Amino acid sequence: MRILEGIEENFRFMVLEVSKQVGSALLVVERPDPDRIKRIESRDDYIDNLKSVIENACWGRIHGSRDGNKRTLDLVRAANIININLERIADYAVNIVSQVQYLTDPLFIRRYDYRDAFLDVDKALGLVFPALTRQDVRLALRICRAEFSLDDRFKAAFDAILADLRRGESPENAISSFNIFRYLERMGDALLNIGEAVIFAALGEKLKIHQYQALQDSLAHGGEDIPLSPGDFSSIWGTRSGCRIGRVEDHGPRSKGVLFKEGNAEKLAKEKENIERWQRLAPGLPPGIQAFQTDGDSASMLLEYLGGCNFQEVVLTADREIVENACFLITQTVGAVWEQTLVREPVATDFMAQMRARLGDVFRLYPGFARGPKTLCGLAVRSVPDLIEAATEAEKGLCAPFSVFLHGDFNLNNIVYDHTAQRIHYIDLHRSHQGDYALDAAVFLASNFRLPVFETRLRQRIQLVMDRFLEFVRAFAAEQGDATFEARLTFGLARALATSARFEVNRAFAQELFLRGLYLLERLAARAGRPFAGMAFPDAVLVY
């Protein structure tokens, strides 16, 4: 596919000019020449102008065209990203020749391996135009790997320069040499951005090089050693888990597609362990693991792609009958798991510790929420820190009489409802653990209440779901003779509502969440020194 008319020709000139600048910078490093330095510096203005021409053409094509073809627009966006990074490489070339002028001994830098670093950059630049015009991922990977090579060369040069500095070997020349290598290393960073832009042009999704390699390796490990094509991978956004998640479409009749997850190795290893435990407890409840591998501090996993939709979609879009059915399946599934995993040993709560750990993020977004002590009509109102301290004191000694195996992050987006199969699934299970069921109950209820929708009909739908779940969890507590459940639920919802404000950009609604959490803390602090048995959770807190 050709890039658009008015971009391709100038883009080719841009690559050639930047390559020329890098080559000229190498000549200056080897044989400093004031005239050549001036030509490099003056040529930089032409490159800046060329960058502006290409940038204007790209934005004009994106915003001014009626052609809504995503592949074409992705290609133009990638060209613009590459254009910006090419100009950065040219700037680094100018920075390098500026540093050469500080070398009191032009031969000093020859003790370090600078030439191969320049050659790495030159070879990668030679791949840029064909990589983009062909959307060639293999060439893109070669461009990206230039960054790895340049990092290694920078580290070797840094160690050698540091050794020379320790021996007192011409500090001014050593530091100037270091700066030259630092700009070469930054050229590598720009080349990495260029290679990843080509991958974006080819796949239509932004993937870091390590994510693309992890995806390819995971597919190969799972028996799907097939090159990815445009549309094969689609990101699933909206997660706060810190992992990259996306769906890989099926490659034939054997598969319905897989879910690819890449992120922190420790976190994904814990999720893998939890999924395997969930499979033993309730086969089919979590997605099946098709492949898992680690690479240093990161890991990747291929999971079975589950049919259906997340429960939040059901709550907001489905008919009432379907919502009722989904609520029934959820409560039946949760109840069965809790009964199966119940261990009759007390477990201490730590809701206030969780709250303190998250409040900093709330106050960074809304500093005004961190109120100080006040007096209202002669009545003293505690500051937020004092209130939390009082509630923390009240929580001491509070225990659940038994534990169950928890989801650990039981919000609406982590429950998948399959209407056809009449079952639910759990996803995002890295926080699963044995603990107090009031935690999962509080998270589920808060994730409903904090949905930022305000239409009366939808709020009634949300209220229905919360009411059904409260009925279920209260019945479970009564069956198990749990006298302090309502108090622990109050602690859990105080924590969940108040700290949910950190996710809400609508200040008025964020304040609603936060103040309702504080109201629950006031009730809990008032119980200090008295038994929590028989305390009732105020249902009105969940009515909006």
Side-chain angles (χ1 to χ4, degrees), residues 59 302 305 318 366 457 468 535:
W59 283 111
L302 287 183
Y305 186 80
Y366 297 111
R457 181 182 61 84
R468 293 289 184 272
M535 178 182 179

Side-chain angles (χ1 to χ4, degrees), residues 288-338:
I289 300 173
Q290 299 194 5
F292 179 87
Q293 61 177 16
T294 59
D295 182 12
D297 293 335
S298 65
S300 58
M301 181 162 51
L302 287 183
L303 300 169
E304 170 193 7
Y305 186 80
L306 301 170
C309 58
N310 69 54
F311 188 52
Q312 178 174 311
E313 295 177 59
V314 175
V315 173
L316 296 180
T317 65
D319 294 336
R320 180 186 173 108
E321 181 182 350
I322 292 178
V323 174
E324 292 265 21
N325 180 65
C327 287
F328 173 78
L329 290 175
I330 289 171
T331 55
Q332 290 295 301
T333 302
V334 171
V337 168
W338 287 355

Side-chain angles (χ1 to χ4, degrees), residues 76-93:
V76 176
R77 289 171 61 193
N80 192 46
I81 294 169
I82 294 170
N83 175 50
I84 292 168
N85 282 278
L86 287 171
E87 191 265 343
R88 286 178 185 163
I89 292 174
D91 284 345
Y92 296 145

Side-chain angles (χ1 to χ4, degrees), residues 17 42 250 260 280 363 403 478 541:
E17 286 297 328
S42 64
D250 64 295
F260 168 72
R280 293 192 296 271
F363 296 149
S403 66
V541 168

Side-chain angles (χ1 to χ4, degrees), residues 59 62 70 73-82 84-85 144 192-213 215 228 230-231 233-237 243-247 260 262:
W59 283 111
I62 291 170
K70 183 179 184 300
L73 296 180
D74 287 346
L75 194 58
V76 176
R77 289 171 61 193
N80 192 46
I81 294 169
I82 294 170
I84 292 168
N85 282 278
C144 291
L192 181 63
N193 291 337
I194 289 171
E196 290 175 349
V198 174
I199 293 174
F200 167 64
L203 298 183
E205 288 287 342
K206 288 190 175 181
L207 287 171
K208 295 292 185 182
I209 177 63
H210 72 274
Q211 293 171 334
Y212 179 82
Q213 290 178 324
L215 175 55
L228 291 174
F233 179 86
S234 55
S235 291
I236 298 174
W237 303 106
C243 295
R244 180 65 187 267
I245 306 173
R247 181 184 181 184
F260 168 72
E262 186 273 342

